[in-house]
Amino acid sequence: MPAKSRFTRLDAFTKTVEDARVRTTSGGIVTIASLLIVFWLVWGEWSDYRRVVVHPELIVDKGRGERMEIHLNISFPRVPCELLTLDVMDVSGEQQTGVKHGISKVQLAPATEGGRPIDVRALDLHADEPADHLGPNYCGECYGPPAPATASKPGCCQTCEEVREAYASVSWAFGKGEGVAQCEREHYSEKLQAQRDQGCRIEGGFRVNKVVGNFHIAPGRSFSNGMMHVHDLNNYLDPSQGDHTFTHQIHHLRFGPQLPDDLTKKVGGKTMGWTNHHLNPLDNTEQVTTDAAFNYMYFLKVVSTSYYPLGWKSKGHSADQGDSSDLVSIGQHGLGQDGSLETHQYSVTSHKRSLKGGSDSQEGHKERLHAVGGIPGVFFSYDISPMKVINREERTKSFTGFLTGVCAIVGGTLTVAAAIDRGVYEGATRIKKLHQG
């Protein structure tokens, strides 16, 4: 028996001879229509295969010993830059007082003059002026306290700033520097007087441990008094220095790098859950008060958030390869070379109170009583969530799924087209027989 005849009985696709085939006009129309439908559906299947979506995942955050960046832009129209101090502390015991690195201040004109920017400089609240012109043997007096460890000349206070540091080291209030030769030489009191009606905008970023902590912007230099963190409020509360209040506007506050606009559209799409909507809820927040002794507190719950682009596994994930945050500049931490991004989103609740005590009777809550005392300013307390959100780019289907869809489209369309053509042909034949009969 010939080799080809062994499979004859297994042929599921029986053929008809050319003479037994009948071609009709309706069949040609159905064929053209079915081909157009096949091309249209295959194109849709290809577009669906090429489409990339962001898939959210929620896992336990297993990171250890990590750090994160905080970026802020806050305006204080009723407090001059000379009086503002930024401090950071956390539960690990680390404290950063008078943060300057990575932070800038913008002097603002008085609110009555529109609050326009006047000057921009690094947040060195009391810029040192060299005392070289006083002679190489000059050693400034510290007026009681020991010289600070950071003094330019050991055992001496060469500038007004160093005298202030010496006072802070022993928890002494400083005031306007009356009777201090260094401050009189640098015209410190005149600077305070000139800026008393100005405002200030603090902007920039700083790095903190990824643990529970807080940062605050308060008036005067900070120092520790026993187990308490206090500020020198003399100049802030002095009526001769102006009517200061902590009215403020938070233009921007975020933890970690910001998602680019094109990624925000993907992550914050209508089909995505709230865990993917990367927003900063405190942006464009404004608080107004006429009370100098007023305290604003914001309580934030910070959630680690990662973004992994399509194919990031094959390129390697540099954002998780150890904590090298101290080796990169402010603003670059969390940005992977492969396009991945490690950032944070947060939720917030707020509270405000007068440091004079009293109740919220004016707001209709007589039962709410406030304690007396505290530090005026704006305080941000943040807590770290144990969960982590991962936004991963994925294709909606695999290439195998695409091929399966194409086969289903071709087979299904031609099968339906054959049934329609058969029905049209049978109907036309019966009508023709009825007319002939």
Side-chain angles (χ1 to χ4, degrees):
M1 179 182 295
K4 66 177 181 178
S5 63
R6 296 178 181 178
F7 302 98
T8 302
R9 295 181 180 181
L10 301 178
D11 187 4
F13 306 98
T14 56
K15 286 77 178 175
T16 58
V17 296
E18 187 67 27
D19 295 340
R21 295 178 181 178
V22 178
R23 301 182 184 275
T24 62
T25 302
S26 60
I29 295 174
V30 171
T31 300
I32 294 175
S34 62
L35 289 177
L36 292 176
I37 292 174
V38 167
F39 287 137
W40 179 62
L41 292 178
V42 169
W43 174 256
E45 190 74 11
W46 172 255
S47 300
D48 192 32
Y49 164 69
R50 295 294 299 172
R51 185 164 58 93
V52 177
V53 298
V54 179
H55 179 69
E57 301 176 22
L58 185 64
I59 64 172
V60 176
D61 189 359
K62 299 180 180 179
R64 295 181 299 173
E66 298 179 350
R67 293 173 68 83
M68 63 181 181
E69 289 183 356
I70 301 176
H71 298 264
L72 52 81
N73 188 328
I74 307 176
S75 292
F76 300 89
R78 304 300 299 272
V79 185
C81 292
E82 195 72 21
L83 296 182
L84 290 178
T85 301
L86 172 62
D87 294 335
V88 184
M89 54 194 68
D90 59 42
V91 295
S92 69
E94 180 176 306
Q95 293 190 21
Q96 303 178 45
T97 57
V99 178
K100 301 176 183 179
H101 178 67
I103 300 293
S104 298
K105 70 174 181 178
V106 180
Q107 290 180 328
L108 304 177
T112 56
E113 300 178 9
R116 68 185 184 281
I118 299 176
D119 182 39
V120 181
R121 56 177 175 169
L123 185 55
D124 188 355
L125 299 185
H126 309 282
D128 296 341
E129 295 185 6
D132 298 338
H133 64 283
L134 298 177
N137 297 326
Y138 173 75
C139 179
E141 184 181 355
C142 294
Y143 299 90
T150 57
S152 57
K153 186 174 184 179
C156 303
C157 293
Q158 303 295 84
T159 64
C160 183
E161 170 67 3
E162 292 182 355
V163 177
R164 289 176 56 82
E165 290 184 5
Y167 270 58
S169 65
V170 293
S171 304
W172 289 2
F174 185 76
K176 293 182 288 185
E178 299 91 339
V180 178
Q182 295 89 327
C183 296
E184 292 179 353
R185 183 181 67 243
E186 298 172 15
H187 307 289
Y188 176 66
S189 179
E190 289 82 351
K191 290 180 181 178
L192 286 179
Q193 188 68 17
Q195 297 183 20
R196 65 178 185 176
D197 295 325
Q198 293 182 3
C200 185
R201 184 170 74 235
I202 293 181
E203 58 189 17
F206 54 94
R207 200 163 288 155
V208 298
N209 295 321
K210 193 176 175 181
V211 296
V212 178
N214 77 83
F215 64 95
H216 58 267
I217 302 172
R221 177 176 290 276
S222 61
F223 52 87
S224 297
N225 188 355
M227 298 297 293
M228 298 180 60
H229 179 82
V230 296
H231 284 252
D232 182 1
L233 304 179
N234 286 347
N235 293 330
Y236 174 76
L237 298 177
D238 187 354
S240 65
Q241 294 300 315
D243 185 16
H244 303 314
T245 68
F246 264 92
T247 294
H248 63 278
Q249 182 177 6
I250 303 174
H251 306 288
H252 189 65
L253 178 66
R254 59 183 169 88
F255 291 75
Q258 179 68 55
L259 281 178
D261 292 339
D262 56 337
L263 298 184
T264 304
K265 295 178 181 179
K266 293 181 181 180
V267 176
K270 295 181 179 179
T271 59
M272 299 299 170
W274 68 268
T275 54
N276 288 319
H277 199 49
H278 188 274
L279 293 177
N280 304 308
L282 280 179
D283 287 3
N284 301 317
T285 298
E286 185 174 10
Q287 298 282 1
V288 179
T289 180
T290 58
D291 187 356
F294 212 82
N295 178 289
Y296 292 94
M297 292 174 284
Y298 298 95
F299 302 92
L300 303 94
K301 177 70 73 171
V302 181
V303 182
S304 300
T305 303
S306 299
Y307 175 82
Y308 299 154
L310 187 67
W312 72 275
K313 288 185 178 180
S314 61
K315 299 177 183 179
H317 185 210
S318 60
D320 274 346
Q321 295 175 358
D323 181 24
S324 58
S325 60
D326 293 332
L327 303 179
V328 297
S329 59
I330 297 292
Q332 298 300 314
H333 178 55
L335 300 176
Q337 297 180 355
D338 55 0
S340 60
L341 186 144
E342 297 287 338
T343 185
H344 303 82
Q345 55 186 332
Y346 65 91
S347 61
V348 61
T349 57
S350 61
H351 179 70
K352 58 184 179 181
R353 71 181 181 93
S354 173
L355 303 182
K356 300 174 184 177
S359 64
D360 286 340
S361 57
Q362 294 182 352
E363 300 181 3
H365 300 282
K366 297 181 180 180
E367 71 282 1
R368 296 180 183 174
L369 300 178
H370 299 300
V372 179
I375 302 175
V378 181
F379 293 74
F380 300 88
S381 297
Y382 53 89
D383 190 10
I384 309 298
S385 172
M387 307 305 293
K388 182 177 184 178
V389 177
I390 296 180
N391 297 295
R392 193 190 310 271
E393 279 190 352
E394 296 178 346
R395 294 197 184 277
T396 55
K397 59 174 59 181
S398 63
F399 185 71
T400 304
F402 165 71
L403 293 180
T404 302
V406 170
C407 293
I409 290 172
V410 174
T413 303
L414 295 182
T415 300
V416 173
I420 294 174
D421 178 63
R422 184 67 180 177
V424 172
Y425 177 74
E426 292 291 341
T429 303
R430 290 191 179 185
I431 292 174
K432 185 181 296 185
K433 288 182 178 179
L434 290 176
H435 287 178
Q436 292 177 354

